[in-house]
Amino acid sequence: MEPVMPTFTLLDVVAICWAFAWWVGYTIFADASSRRRNSISAHMARNRHRWMEQMLKRDIRMVDTSIASNLITGISFFSSTTILVLIGLMALLGYTDKAIETVSALPFAAVTTPAVWECKVVLLIVIFIYAFFKFTWAFRLSNYCSILIGAAPEADAPDAARAAARASRMSMMSAHNFNRGIRAYFFALSALGWFYHPLAFIVCATWVTLVLYNREFRSHALDILSGHH
């Protein structure tokens, strides 16, 4: 039996390109734009550095190890959850006909074929695999940061400032990868709209980008970090 090639409509192609353009564009803007200096990530990066400077002044660093442990626990949760999501998506490939029938019963749902439906599921699988790699790397970097905290010298040691800078940079790298994994989750949620209709995918991708922008650059949390409240 010859494999059936998926037949995408022009609107499907536009929706995919639109969503990934927003994802890549926002990532470049958030991570490389000069505006990141007034973002939540930038403020938290500075606070991570202050944390490591304060860590050097403590003789007993139980507080610091406890904070590092909490951060690792959060990252570990998302890593484990991503694996469960991937298992569920792989299982969904075996129920293509039933899933199409369920979605087709919704009003205004776009007509699709089993091959196109499976491509949509594969897209989600690829996104969550990307997120898994980001979370697991963030997990390892957080462990490295914990080791650097344990190896940090006393505050009056000659290399104390460099040790604090190394630990804070390692913590920032972990946060950077964790943020990209979370961002992948957001755009995976927008991709769910594609199962209903390509226009829903376009709207959801745009909405997700606006939500991410507002939380990173215009939220009340940023006002608090900036000292405006």
Side-chain angles (χ1 to χ4, degrees):
M1 181 178 179
E2 294 184 1
V4 179
M5 296 299 294
T7 304
F8 295 101
T9 65
L10 177 60
L11 194 54
D12 285 320
V13 176
V14 170
I16 296 172
C17 294
W18 178 270
F20 276 94
W22 276 111
W23 187 356
V24 173
Y26 178 78
T27 298
I28 294 172
F29 173 81
D31 295 347
S33 170
S34 60
R35 288 199 62 181
R36 66 181 179 176
R37 289 176 294 185
N38 192 35
S39 65
I40 285 183
S41 296
H43 280 283
M44 292 311 301
R46 289 189 284 271
N47 278 286
R48 287 172 188 271
H49 186 69
R50 294 191 191 101
W51 168 28
M52 296 307 166
E53 289 178 333
Q54 292 300 314
M55 176 268 298
L56 293 175
K57 300 175 184 178
R58 286 188 273 267
D59 295 328
I60 300 176
R61 295 166 181 168
M62 294 296 294
V63 172
D64 308 292
T65 55
S66 177
I67 295 172
S69 177
N70 286 336
L71 293 174
I72 291 173
T73 299
I75 299 171
S76 176
F77 168 78
F78 276 97
S79 299
S80 303
T81 300
T82 305
I83 288 293
L84 297 177
V85 171
L86 287 170
I87 293 172
L89 289 172
M90 293 296 292
L92 182 61
L93 288 173
Y95 296 90
T96 298
D97 294 334
K98 182 63 176 178
I100 292 175
E101 180 183 344
T102 301
V103 174
S104 298
L106 298 174
F108 307 111
V111 178
T112 189
T113 64
V116 172
W117 179 276
E118 290 171 356
C119 286
K120 295 175 182 180
V121 177
V122 169
L123 173 64
L124 283 177
I125 290 174
V126 170
I127 293 175
F128 280 107
I129 288 175
Y130 168 84
F132 175 75
F133 277 102
K134 288 299 178 182
F135 288 137
T136 52
W137 184 229
F139 181 83
R140 292 187 65 181
L141 291 172
S142 287
N143 278 283
Y144 298 157
C145 181
S146 298
I147 294 172
L148 290 176
I149 291 173
E154 300 295 330
D156 56 355
D159 61 340
R162 289 194 296 273
R166 284 194 297 270
S168 64
R169 285 199 298 271
M170 192 68 71
S171 180
M172 292 172 199
M173 286 178 61
S174 175
H176 175 76
N177 282 273
F178 181 74
N179 286 340
R180 288 202 167 188
I182 292 292
R183 201 173 294 155
Y185 261 63
F186 273 84
F187 280 97
L189 290 176
S190 74
L192 290 176
W194 192 21
F195 288 89
Y196 176 69
H197 198 284
L199 286 176
F201 191 9
I202 292 173
V203 171
C204 289
T206 307
W207 176 71
V208 160
T209 306
L210 291 175
V211 169
L212 290 171
Y213 173 80
N214 284 325
R215 290 186 176 180
E216 185 72 17
F217 295 97
R218 298 174 61 87
S219 66
H220 292 302
L222 178 59
D223 291 336
I224 293 171
L225 290 171
S226 302
H228 297 159
H229 288 288

